Amino acid sequence: MRRTLSLFGLTAVLLAVVLAHPASTPATAQSDALGAHNVYALGVFSYPDHVRAIIDVLVPRTEVIVEARSSDTLWVLVHDLNRTVRGWVEADFLEYEDRKAVLNLPVSAEVMFIASESPRTGDYTAIDLEAYPVIPDRLGGALKIAQSGVVLGSDPHVISKVGDCISDNKNFLSPFGWGDYSLGNYGSLQPVIDQFASSLAFDSQSAYDGLVTNAALDPLFSNPLACQPGESPLRCEYRVHNPAVAVIMFGAQDLLFTPPDQFDRNLRQIVHETIQAGVIPLLSTFPGNLNRWDDAVRYNQIIVQIALDYDIPLMNLWLALEALPHHGLDDDGRHLSVPISTPGDLRGENLQRGYPQRNLVTLQALDAVWRGALEPSMGFLYPDVYTFPAIG
């Protein structure tokens, strides 16, 4: 039954991300927004035509803003209030605050961006993984995303974990939320721990054992106790926890089950949806796999290329683990090695183990994103009430 639903229903979500196509002219923003909502589940199309791709599904009674109409007024271009869904719906299936106002909307023929048809901008096989720093030395578009997040109401004290079992693990960041850690020579990380402490031990709706990229986008894999009907694990997590930053790491499971081209498309969609939600994607390379080393390199090259294409912060965990015994991996050759003492202990020999080392570089990367993007975004919008932390 789940398979049938996936084929004929909500897995249309996996085909697309709802962003404007670069070659199209976006609709003009309205000063007086026209509100509407759907009564029943409603397909969202990439273009006002039934032969075009269904790129999303509006769950029943989703509040939307109507931006524009097609020339024949049979379709309207809408986005939801969280700006995680944007596309064309049939006009007659919405209930409007003012039905007549639809006629006053600008006419548009905008084509929505479809991730599965997005060309890569470079040859990822030529990427040298050792050429990219462990901690992002440039943040690219992170500031702009953070400013969007402030407008949308993202919580600057919250991060989300997005990934497989290596992220859904009590050894990853959680001890810093519980207060069970020793910083040793890294006392300068205390302010960033304080900033995100309330969320570091959260149970994520988009990180669990065996999660692969396509499942993160598929409502069939959502937790029914926390997520709304038709809501993917990724969107559920962003709605439930309202983060400002998402630490995203996939690959360890995908290289076992997901072809490289599909991994590329899926991860691009995850990044797109994260940006649309006003959440900074902190994209991470993943640990190697001693049994499939060449595959691990290839999938990590894809991750780096996506970070470059979307101009987002990249944390090169793969490089950070290179000098560790067994590349920071456990005896099975694919999971991170466990700590000697505790995962929150950032002292001495403990940092020769995979999980403590990942905790260290993740906190350092979060510190860079926080100081370089989140803080300036708050100060930019609220200069009279927000102060910057001292660096050092």
Side-chain angles (χ1 to χ4, degrees), residues 96 107 150 203-204 226 253 280 378:
Y96 304 86
V107 174
V150 171
D203 288 330
S204 174
Q253 293 293 323
I280 298 173
M378 298 297 293

Side-chain angles (χ1 to χ4, degrees), residues 251-284:
Q253 293 293 323
D254 279 273
L255 69 82
L256 302 177
F257 304 106
T258 311
D261 59 341
Q262 185 178 344
F263 176 70
D264 182 284
R265 290 195 300 269
N266 292 344
L267 189 56
R268 286 174 187 273
Q269 183 169 342
I270 288 169
V271 169
H272 267 297
E273 294 193 12
T274 302
I275 292 172
Q276 278 193 319
V279 181
I280 298 173
L282 175 54
L283 196 59
S284 176

Side-chain angles (χ1 to χ4, degrees), residues 44-292:
V44 182
F45 288 74
S46 64
Y47 188 76
D49 191 325
H50 285 111
V51 303
R52 295 301 184 100
I54 297 176
I55 57 177
D56 220 310
V57 176
L58 293 177
V59 299
R61 304 203 68 81
T62 298
E63 299 291 333
V64 298
I65 300 299
V66 186
E67 302 178 18
R69 63 180 176 88
S70 61
S71 59
D72 58 11
T73 319
L74 296 178
W75 296 77
V76 288
L77 177 61
V78 304
H79 66 261
D80 70 343
L81 300 186
N82 293 326
R83 294 185 179 273
T84 56
V85 179
R86 185 171 183 268
W88 291 93
V89 300
E90 292 181 84
D92 285 345
F93 290 112
L94 291 180
E95 295 188 356
Y96 304 86
E97 295 173 354
D98 181 359
R99 183 66 175 84
K100 294 181 180 179
V102 173
L103 297 173
N104 298 323
L105 293 169
V107 174
S108 174
E110 184 175 345
V111 180
M112 298 299 105
F113 179 89
I114 300 178
S116 62
E117 299 175 359
S118 170
R120 289 187 290 270
T121 61
D123 179 10
Y124 60 74
T125 60
I127 288 175
D128 178 5
L129 294 179
E130 295 185 0
Y132 297 88
V134 173
I135 309 304
D137 57 359
R138 61 181 305 278
L139 300 181
L143 176 58
K144 184 176 180 181
I145 298 169
Q147 291 172 346
S148 174
V150 171
V151 173
L152 294 173
S154 298
D155 190 333
H157 298 282
V158 175
I159 69 159
S160 283
K161 305 170 188 176
V162 181
D164 54 30
C165 58
I166 303 177
S167 296
D168 179 31
N169 191 294
K170 65 181 181 181
N171 289 323
F172 179 52
L173 291 184
S174 293
F176 300 91
W178 299 329
D180 182 18
Y181 59 88
S182 299
L183 297 180
N185 294 329
Y186 299 98
S188 60
L189 293 175
Q190 187 60 56
V192 74
I193 294 172
D194 294 339
Q195 176 71 15
F196 297 114
S198 63
S199 64
L200 295 176
F202 276 173
D203 288 330
S204 174
Q205 300 301 323
S206 58
Y208 55 82
D209 191 9
L211 188 71
V212 291
T213 49
N214 68 327
L217 297 163
D218 192 337
L220 292 178
F221 292 88
S222 293
N223 175 5
L225 298 179
C227 304
Q228 298 175 349
E231 191 173 50
S232 69
L234 184 72
R235 294 184 178 182
C236 178
E237 169 62 16
Y238 292 164
R239 178 184 59 80
V240 170
H241 288 140
N242 193 28
V245 183
V247 181
I248 302 173
M249 190 180 80
F250 285 99
Q253 293 293 323
D254 279 273
L255 69 82
L256 302 177
F257 304 106
T258 311
D261 59 341
Q262 185 178 344
F263 176 70
D264 182 284
R265 290 195 300 269
N266 292 344
L267 189 56
R268 286 174 187 273
Q269 183 169 342
I270 288 169
V271 169
H272 267 297
E273 294 193 12
T274 302
I275 292 172
Q276 278 193 319
V279 181
I280 298 173
L282 175 54
L283 196 59
S284 176
T285 54
F286 66 97
N289 184 318
L290 296 183
N291 301 312
R292 300 183 61 170

